[in-house]
Amino acid sequence: MSIPLSPDSIPDALPGPPFFGALLRVVWQHVRDRMLQAIHEAGFVDFQEAHFAVFSFPLPDGMRSSELARQKRMSRQAVNYLLSQLEDLGYVERRAADGSDRRLVYLTPRGHEVVAAIFGCLRQLHEQWSKEVGKERFDDFVEVLKQLSTKAQEPTNR
């Protein structure tokens, strides 16, 4: 019979919960809440949290809806449902590029205003968190996230 080892008894063991994934989720939810608040405060009260699936990096300006669905890991039907909502609200439009019959998604001026509200909110959070934890530590944190983000986008051998 084996005796289970506690994480403290294993050299170089990972720390216990909450693990970094949960911590990232908590922070990300806070960021989304702040962005939605900023969007609503800018007068776009019809913008819903579900619309972030379209209004997230990279923005879909000049993109096919099928490519958007692939990038966001959503079904084409779900993306088209959101795009229809956003079109009705005046945030995006689907139109064919010159010389093509294939419709692409474009942000409208109203959509660009939402993006400006999002970017303004993110700049404020960046400044606030830089002050809270120190500019050097926060800059290091952002660089680590950039490095991990790049690594996460590389093809894997699954």
Side-chain angles (χ1 to χ4, degrees):
M1 173 188 269
S2 65
I3 299 172
L5 298 174
S6 72
D8 295 333
S9 67
I10 302 172
D12 298 321
L14 291 174
F19 291 105
F20 68 92
L23 296 171
L24 286 171
R25 180 187 48 78
V26 169
V27 172
W28 173 235
Q29 188 59 53
H30 175 75
V31 170
R32 283 177 67 117
D33 291 346
R34 290 283 299 269
M35 289 188 309
L36 188 59
Q37 179 184 358
I39 291 166
H40 290 170
E41 287 174 357
F44 305 103
V45 294
D46 52 3
F47 191 94
Q48 300 171 20
E49 188 170 351
H51 298 149
F52 282 128
V54 174
F55 277 79
S56 61
F57 181 82
L59 292 167
D61 214 15
M63 180 183 292
R64 291 190 344 236
S65 60
S66 60
E67 175 62 16
L68 180 62
R70 187 190 66 73
Q71 272 189 1
K72 307 304 179 184
R73 297 181 180 185
M74 296 174 66
S75 71
R76 286 187 300 218
Q77 294 87 346
V79 165
N80 282 320
Y81 178 79
L82 288 173
L83 289 174
S84 292
Q85 280 187 341
L86 290 166
E87 265 186 314
D88 290 346
L89 296 170
Y91 294 116
V92 301
E93 63 182 351
R94 289 180 273 194
R95 64 177 171 4
D98 293 338
S100 174
D101 58 345
R102 186 173 280 174
R103 293 189 328 152
L104 303 177
V105 178
Y106 293 93
L107 298 176
T108 63
R110 182 172 164 87
H112 283 286
E113 290 177 29
V114 167
V115 171
I118 291 169
F119 287 178
C121 173
L122 293 173
R123 286 185 188 101
Q124 284 180 335
L125 272 174
H126 187 106
E127 185 177 325
Q128 177 188 345
W129 290 354
S130 287
K131 288 178 182 174
E132 285 180 21
V133 301
K135 182 179 178 353
E136 186 176 329
R137 284 183 70 208
F138 190 74
D139 288 348
D140 288 344
F141 170 69
V142 171
E143 283 305 312
V144 167
L145 287 176
K146 286 179 182 177
Q147 182 180 356
L148 292 174
S149 174
T150 299
K151 187 72 175 166
Q153 294 176 56
E154 292 176 359
T156 58
N157 296 328
R158 290 186 184 198

